[in-house]
Structures are given as structure tokens and as C-alpha cells.
Amino acid sequence: MAGSTTKERLSVAIDPPIARITLDHPPLNVIDIPMMDDFSAALVEIEEQAHVSTIIICGTGKSFSAGVDVAAHTPDKVEQMLTKFHGLIRSLVASKKVTVAAVHGTCLGGGAELAMVCDLVFTTEDALWSFPEIKLGCYPPVACAVLAALIGHKRAIDLILTGRSISGGEAAQFGLATQAVPQARLDSSVEDCLKRLLALSPAALRVAKQAFYGWDAAHFDKGLARAEKLYLEELIKTIDAQEGIRAFMEKRTPKWLGK
């Protein structure tokens, strides 16, 4: 059924066989808990649409997403945040639809995790990709579980342990993205991909995707569960993690104590 809805933090447009989820939380499309709820609800709605075969995920304004709301990392909120965000990621990974991310501007932390678990990822060459959580005394659990399988161990540990930024062009070279294109060609590149997909059997695409991820599914579930457990039981209890989050919110340099 065709139609569009505007939720608190995103918009959903369904025009079978395509559904489009647009992150719309200005100015940087930060993923807070209300957005996680909206996104999860949108995926449930789309998954029930038998005539939809492809989901496009993009962001409004100058950013795909600057990542998960830092304010949601405080000890009183972090368990709820991880449960909801990882539930969203698991739903996206398990979707029977082909998922396509269109990335421009900043694509950081949870935003980069959201994009990288999509089946196909198109990014502008000048987009800014990063997993900067280590600079807050934290780490990105989804990236810890998935990134090495996507881009290799050495590149993954470099990005996770340094938090350094790479361009969209580098993201494509590494394997984080399918293709990097100039800003002016992002939409047309996604459309070209859609034309190829829509010429194929939706049933074949669905089963091929299920077969492709068959081996990785168990590894992903176990890896993410372990990364989440360590985050909640060890990391967030450290003084440094709490200091890093507090310093970011207070716009100052953190003072690490190593404990």
C-alpha cells in the first residue's frame, strides 16, 4: 500500500516496491531513543508490506547521521539505549527486504553502524565516516561485532581504537561502502541500483539474501551480545567512560584516570 507518514524523528514513504526511510532530526540527525522507536516501528510496518522489496535509508540536511545521542550514554540511560539501538540493528540485519543506504555529510558512530549493516551502501566521496566513541572513553559495540568481517581486522581495529575519520572514498576502498560517488551523482547512483534490483525476482532476492547471511548470522548475534555485555558490565562502570561522556556534554577535554 502506497503512502507516506511523518514520525517524530523520521519520515517513511512507501511506494511499492520501494520504501524510503529518511532520518529527519536536524541539524545532524542524531539518533536518540525516540528516533530508535520510530525507526523500529517503521521497519515493522515495511516488513509487513509484501509488495515492498527494497528499503532506502537516507538523511535530511547536511548529514546522514552524527550517531547515537551522547546524552543517552549516561549510566541511567545506557542499558535502555543499547537495548533499543541493538534491537533496531538486529531488525535491519534480519529484514527480508534489500536495504540500501545513501550516505552524505557526516556518518559517525551509530550512524555509520546503521549504514554499514545495510546490504548496499552508496556514499558521497567527501562524506565523513568515523567511529569516534573511543574519544569519549567508550567503544562502538556493533562495529566491534561486524567491522572486521567487512573491512579486515587491521583496518577495523585501527578505526575502532583511534576513532579517526575517513572519507567516503576511503570507506568504499575499505569495503564499508559499495560505491563512492560525487555529491551530484548520489541520487542517480542509487536510482541506477534500484533499476537493476527491480528487474529481478523479489522472491529470489529475499532467499538469496537469507542464504548469503546464513553463516554470518550466528557470529553476529554472539559477537554483538558479548560486546553489549562488556559495555554494560565493565566499560560503563569505569571512571573514564563516565568522564568522557560528561566532558563531551560539558564541551571540555576529558581527564583520563585509566580506571
Side-chain angles (χ1 to χ4, degrees), residues 118-134:
C118 289
D119 301 317
L120 300 167
V121 182
F122 294 87
T123 178
T124 60
E125 294 169 337
D126 61 354
L128 185 69
W129 288 70
S130 177
F131 302 92
E133 286 86 345
I134 200 71

Side-chain angles (χ1 to χ4, degrees), residues 178-242:
T178 307
Q179 185 179 6
V181 297
Q183 173 78 45
R185 284 184 48 208
L186 181 61
D187 290 344
S188 62
S189 295
V190 172
E191 290 302 317
D192 288 344
C193 174
L194 291 176
K195 289 178 183 177
R196 292 192 294 272
L197 290 172
L198 298 183
L200 304 171
S201 158
L205 288 172
R206 181 177 67 250
V207 179
K209 178 175 173 177
Q210 183 179 359
F212 181 83
Y213 289 112
W215 184 87
D216 283 339
H219 173 78
F220 170 71
D221 286 340
K222 290 179 180 178
L224 184 55
R226 175 169 170 75
E228 183 177 316
K229 186 174 187 292
L230 285 170
Y231 200 106
L232 293 173
E233 294 183 2
E234 296 190 29
L235 178 79
I236 206 62
K237 294 180 181 178
T238 65
I239 294 173
D240 278 358
Q242 295 177 42

Side-chain angles (χ1 to χ4, degrees), residues 134 143-144 147-148 151-163:
I134 200 71
C144 284
L147 195 56
I151 67 174
H153 180 91
K154 295 303 182 187
R155 281 176 168 170
I157 199 70
D158 171 33
L159 294 182
I160 289 170
L161 292 188
T162 67

